[in-house]
Amino acid sequence: MSAMLLNKEKWPEFVKKLTGKNLWAPKLDGEAMRFAPVAEGEEVSLDYGNTRVPPKGATFPQTETMYRFLVGNMEIEEPKMDEELVLLGVRPCDARAMKIIEKLFRWDYDDPYYLKRRELVTLVGLACTEPGLNCFCSSVGGAPDSSEGLDLLIYDLGDRFLLEAVTVKGETLIAETKELLTDSDASAVKAKDKLMADAGAKIRRTVDHDGIPEGLPGLWEDPLWKSVSASCIGCGTCTYLCPTCHCFDIQDEVEGFEGRRCRMWDSCMFEEYTLHTSGHNTRPTRRERTRNRINHKYNYFVDKFDVIACVGCGRCINLCPVNIDIVEILRRVKEAL
Amino acid sequence: MDLEQLRKTAAEVVARDDVKYLIGWKKGSYGYRVAPVFVEDAAGVAELIFSPLCTANLTTYLTLVEKTPLPRGQEADKRKVALMVKGCDSRAVVQLLVEKGIHREEVIVIGCPCPGVVDQSLLVEKYGDTEEPVEVKWNGDGFMLVRGGEEIKIPRDEVLAEKCRLCRYPNPVISDHLIGAEVEKWSPAEDSGVSELDAKDVDGRWEYWEEQFNKCIRCYSCRNVCPLCYCQDCILDRLNPTWINRAVNFSENTAFNISRAFHLAGRCIECGECERVCPANIPLGKINRKMAREVREKYGFEPGLDPEAEPFQASFKPDDPEDFIL
């Protein structure tokens, strides 16, 4: 795979080339960064930490129309899904998350919606140089320069960018912007290695998950679950902002005679999530729901797909209204083993 | 704040046979974070703190308790819950009493007169975030940040939470134990956020809220954190009929947010929790404070002050204004 250099002076031109496609990049929305469409001529700044909401919606939209129908009519109309999308400035943890949840969407059944969107999206990553306060990617199999799930990875070397193609899609992007790029050299690679070593050293939080996936079932009735969930208010912040959380609900929404079946994000932290028609709830309190959140990420998913379904992005810690801290929970789990 | 008095009182309260636990604040897992804590015995009181970082309104936990069906023969735990409250929080307790969401004998109120709390996002913006344990204290007219042995004086206005600038009730309006002396009230600032919106025309306001509600991800943290959003059967969770679709778009997000605002009219006690927890930074306080202002100015009513008051939306007076009825 090729590696090329892009002088920063040529960055606006590079972005302009990409805006010929359906380009999304992190933009300031109020006080928070979010992925949003970039118009032609619009500037894109890569000076940000993790976006507030992860880019998982590119492949797993919060509301996905599966098909439309007219009430009383047996025919369905499937939405067209053919527009390519380029996400610029994806953090390695978020791209890795997409690769992780893809395992689920390819599991017993190939999910046409997810896989089609995955096929249509090109992920242009941005290696982290300033990990956030609650980042712990390196504890869970990631790294500030992990290329898993990405098509192209960009390193910010100060006055220039180093672009490394990871997949054929990445190679294509490089080929399309060739006139702006120059060949990489040894000094760039050296600078990149130093930058990434420094970035790795800046990660302050760690999780020692050794023994946790196997040990969690034995802690099912442990008092720690009550204690770590006591202050939970049961909102969906941790799960909706999680790049690997992928639970969904399917509903038919009808207005007049026009209806659509759609699926939308759901959260295991909601009371309604496991509520049966009978009125029985298999996870009646936040204790069971919190236990499930941790078990799903650190046990069930590992059991099935051999990878922890947490990429250490820190969003659930940053945004929890009551300071429920997954690193802290995992430390308590480890202690209880 | 007299921590010794707080912990002594708390120890006495939790030692009582008729008390289940005390809900207070403790240092969080890192940096400026403060977390709610449920203290069940005297050993736990050492964790309790009260500082300018204790922003959360703990009153929400009174109604957030899940009541699961009891096994046959087992009786419900009817012991009291003790609760630490600031001035604004205490108004939620009163409002719950008014609505009979809780009963007076179920709760022990530990009142903490509050000189104003800090807005953590302002603190982070101006002084940087940190993973090291830090302390923020009240210091004369302002705050003091103690970080790595260094003491940094912070002027009050620099980091004071917006709700505190507008605060009219810094002292608990109800309490069984008052910790320390009452603080002197300050004159509340003019609510420029609401006034600026008021000055816009209908289209301007609509445009503003369209932009805001488009950001909503429907995590319902505003509803769940709200001490007065405690319906057992919330319309948002209803599917038959579906009052509000699960689809996340401007129309449904607006229906949700407007419903919540209406349900809180004459009930919101302006603790600002909804706005604090919103991961999408939607200025929810502006909606609720606008409703509160309308109720206050038109009807001369303020919720959460008098436990004997009639609920605003359930009361009628012949001379109630009706000039806004078309």
Side-chain angles (χ1 to χ4, degrees), chain A residues 34-269:
Chain A
R34 265 194 192 196
F35 276 86
V38 180
E40 212 175 324
E42 200 176 340
E43 275 183 36
V44 170
S45 158
L46 294 183
D47 184 20
Y48 72 100
N50 289 346
T51 50
R52 181 68 61 87
V53 183
K56 71 174 170 184
T59 46
F60 177 49
Q62 187 160 12
T63 309
E64 172 93 88
T65 302
M66 303 168 80
Y67 55 80
R68 295 179 187 280
F69 56 90
L70 290 174
V71 175
N73 190 327
M74 294 300 284
E75 279 155 37
I76 59 166
E77 182 202 330
E78 289 185 65
K80 259 197 240 150
M81 229 191 269
D82 52 12
E83 197 180 15
E84 292 192 2
L85 171 67
V86 178
L87 286 189
L88 178 61
V90 178
R91 292 293 175 182
C93 53
D94 290 338
R96 222 184 133 237
M98 287 197 201
K99 193 160 179 210
I100 289 172
I101 55 176
E102 192 178 322
K103 289 174 191 284
L104 184 275
F105 286 110
R106 278 188 193 281
W107 178 38
D108 52 346
Y109 174 76
D110 278 351
D111 184 279
Y113 307 95
Y114 189 88
L115 296 179
K116 184 68 188 169
R117 287 193 187 275
R118 192 72 180 86
E119 186 190 310
L120 290 167
V121 73
T122 303
L123 301 179
V124 180
L126 175 68
C128 294
T129 48
E130 292 295 334
L133 204 61
N134 288 314
C135 287
F136 58 98
C137 63
S138 46
S139 292
V140 281
D145 59 345
S146 161
S147 62
E148 269 187 85
L150 287 169
D151 296 302
L152 182 79
L153 180 53
I154 300 180
Y155 299 90
D156 185 344
L157 302 182
D159 53 351
R160 53 194 182 156
F161 291 113
L162 173 65
L163 279 60
E164 278 182 3
V166 185
T167 65
V168 176
K169 280 188 204 167
E171 286 289 0
T172 311
L173 270 189
I174 286 195
E176 286 170 4
T177 51
K178 198 123 212 162
E179 74 267 23
L180 303 172
L181 310 173
T182 54
D183 287 333
S184 175
D185 52 40
S187 75
V189 174
K190 210 174 145 196
K192 173 198 93 169
D193 290 345
K194 164 106 179 40
L195 194 69
M196 287 303 110
D198 289 351
K202 283 181 203 162
I203 296 175
R204 284 156 285 196
R205 302 207 75 178
T206 54
V207 167
D208 174 11
H209 56 76
D210 190 30
I212 288 182
E214 313 81 58
L216 274 169
L219 298 176
W220 197 248
E221 292 297 340
D222 197 277
L224 90 94
W225 300 115
K226 191 178 168 214
S227 143
V228 299
S229 66
S231 63
C232 175
I233 58 166
C235 74
T237 304
C238 50
T239 50
Y240 280 6
L241 299 185
C242 173
T244 65
C245 273
H246 52 263
C247 286
F248 57 79
D249 184 19
I250 294 178
Q251 298 282 338
D252 286 348
E253 300 193 337
V254 179
E255 269 175 54
F257 285 98
E258 289 180 17
R260 64 166 175 163
R261 172 156 295 182
C262 45
R263 77 168 176 200
M264 37 300 237
W265 294 356
D266 202 352
S267 169
C268 61
M269 301 310 290

Side-chain angles (χ1 to χ4, degrees), chain A residues 29 31 34 52 62-63 133-134 204 231 233-234 236 240 251 253 260 272 286 289 318 321 323 325, chain B residues 28-30 33 61 64 66 129 131 215 217 219 221 224 237 239 245-248 276-277 279 281:
Chain A
D29 184 5
E31 292 157 35
R34 265 194 192 196
R52 181 68 61 87
Q62 187 160 12
T63 309
L133 204 61
N134 288 314
R204 284 156 285 196
S231 63
I233 58 166
Y240 280 6
Q251 298 282 338
E253 300 193 337
R260 64 166 175 163
E272 198 195 12
R286 288 179 289 276
R289 290 172 218 141
N318 291 335
N323 186 231
D325 184 330
Chain B
S29 63
Y30 68 94
R33 300 301 165 110
Y61 292 112
L64 212 56
E66 288 127 333
D129 211 348
E131 76 281 13
K215 299 194 293 192
I217 59 167
C219 67
S221 58
N224 290 21
D237 298 332
L239 278 173
N245 281 337
R246 299 300 191 270
V248 177
R276 176 182 74 88
V277 303
N281 294 103

Side-chain angles (χ1 to χ4, degrees), chain B residues 1-15 22 25-27 39 41-50 84 110 135 179:
Chain B
M1 181 67 197
D2 191 343
L3 267 190
E4 210 170 296
Q5 190 198 346
L6 166 66
R7 290 174 184 164
K8 189 168 161 280
T9 310
E12 283 166 16
V13 170
V14 291
L22 178 147
W25 298 278
K26 66 167 182 179
K27 265 194 167 118
V39 177
D41 51 38
V45 302
E47 279 195 295
L48 290 174
I49 59 162
F50 184 60
M84 283 174 68
I110 301 185
E135 237 184 301
I179 308 297

Side-chain angles (χ1 to χ4, degrees), chain B residues 112-185:
Chain B
C112 304
C114 169
V117 295
V118 302
D119 180 333
Q120 257 191 58
S121 56
L122 289 178
L123 197 61
V124 167
E125 193 184 300
K126 302 218 159 83
Y127 296 88
D129 211 348
T130 172
E131 76 281 13
E132 299 292 331
V134 294
E135 237 184 301
V136 176
K137 300 191 250 189
W138 283 289
N139 176 50
D141 269 352
F143 302 104
M144 171 90 82
L145 169 61
V146 187
R147 189 168 61 185
E150 192 190 358
E151 292 192 332
I152 306 164
K153 277 189 186 161
I154 303 177
R156 179 177 157 93
D157 287 344
E158 202 173 281
V159 293
L160 188 70
E162 186 182 38
K163 66 166 176 177
C164 304
R165 284 197 288 112
L166 309 169
C167 176
R168 291 183 306 276
Y169 302 96
N171 295 306
V173 296
I174 186 171
S175 69
D176 297 302
H177 302 272
L178 196 66
I179 308 297
E182 293 209 335
V183 297
E184 202 178 315
K185 284 191 189 184

Side-chain angles (χ1 to χ4, degrees), chain B residues 66-286:
Chain B
E66 288 127 333
K67 294 193 176 94
T68 49
L70 292 167
R72 192 168 298 146
Q74 196 173 314
E75 274 192 32
D77 188 343
K78 289 201 172 132
R79 288 176 298 167
K80 295 171 196 283
V81 170
L83 180 75
M84 283 174 68
V85 294
K86 306 182 292 293
C88 50
D89 310 337
S90 72
R91 291 181 60 197
V93 175
V94 170
Q95 187 59 23
L96 282 172
L97 291 173
V98 165
E99 298 172 6
K100 302 193 169 36
I102 53 164
H103 300 285
R104 189 65 186 91
E105 66 278 9
E106 293 168 344
V107 53
I108 298 174
V109 183
I110 301 185
C112 304
C114 169
V117 295
V118 302
D119 180 333
Q120 257 191 58
S121 56
L122 289 178
L123 197 61
V124 167
E125 193 184 300
K126 302 218 159 83
Y127 296 88
D129 211 348
T130 172
E131 76 281 13
E132 299 292 331
V134 294
E135 237 184 301
V136 176
K137 300 191 250 189
W138 283 289
N139 176 50
D141 269 352
F143 302 104
M144 171 90 82
L145 169 61
V146 187
R147 189 168 61 185
E150 192 190 358
E151 292 192 332
I152 306 164
K153 277 189 186 161
I154 303 177
R156 179 177 157 93
D157 287 344
E158 202 173 281
V159 293
L160 188 70
E162 186 182 38
K163 66 166 176 177
C164 304
R165 284 197 288 112
L166 309 169
C167 176
R168 291 183 306 276
Y169 302 96
N171 295 306
V173 296
I174 186 171
S175 69
D176 297 302
H177 302 272
L178 196 66
I179 308 297
E182 293 209 335
V183 297
E184 202 178 315
K185 284 191 189 184
W186 53 92
S187 40
E190 138 77 10
D191 193 346
S192 52
V194 169
S195 301
E196 274 164 28
L197 266 181
D198 262 350
K200 289 179 194 254
D201 60 9
V202 172
D203 290 342
R205 291 202 293 271
W206 185 248
E207 203 180 300
Y208 178 85
W209 288 113
E210 181 167 2
E211 192 185 309
Q212 297 301 334
F213 293 154
N214 262 321
K215 299 194 293 192
C216 177
I217 59 167
R218 302 274 287 279
C219 67
Y220 299 145
S221 58
C222 52
R223 174 192 67 172
N224 290 21
V225 83
C226 177
L228 293 162
C229 244
Y230 62 101
C231 291
Q232 285 295 309
D233 193 3
C234 173
I235 60 160
L236 295 168
D237 298 332
R238 271 286 182 109
L239 278 173
N240 192 13
T242 309
W243 296 103
I244 290 165
N245 281 337
R246 299 300 191 270
V248 177
N249 54 41
F250 171 61
S251 164
E252 303 305 316
N253 296 356
T254 304
F256 153 49
N257 279 288
I258 290 182
S259 303
R260 211 181 87 81
F262 270 108
H263 286 188
L264 284 169
R267 304 176 55 235
C268 170
I269 46 81
E270 300 171 59
C271 68
E273 282 289 90
C274 48
E275 184 164 335
R276 176 182 74 88
V277 303
C278 178
N281 294 103
I282 300 172
L284 294 163
K286 280 186 196 167

Side-chain angles (χ1 to χ4, degrees), chain A residues 3-22:
Chain A
M4 303 294 280
L5 290 169
L6 172 70
N7 194 308
K8 277 202 177 165
E9 284 166 12
K10 296 204 171 137
W11 174 251
E13 246 182 286
F14 180 80
V15 172
K16 204 171 164 218
K17 277 228 162 229
L18 298 185
T19 48
K21 303 168 183 288
N22 179 19

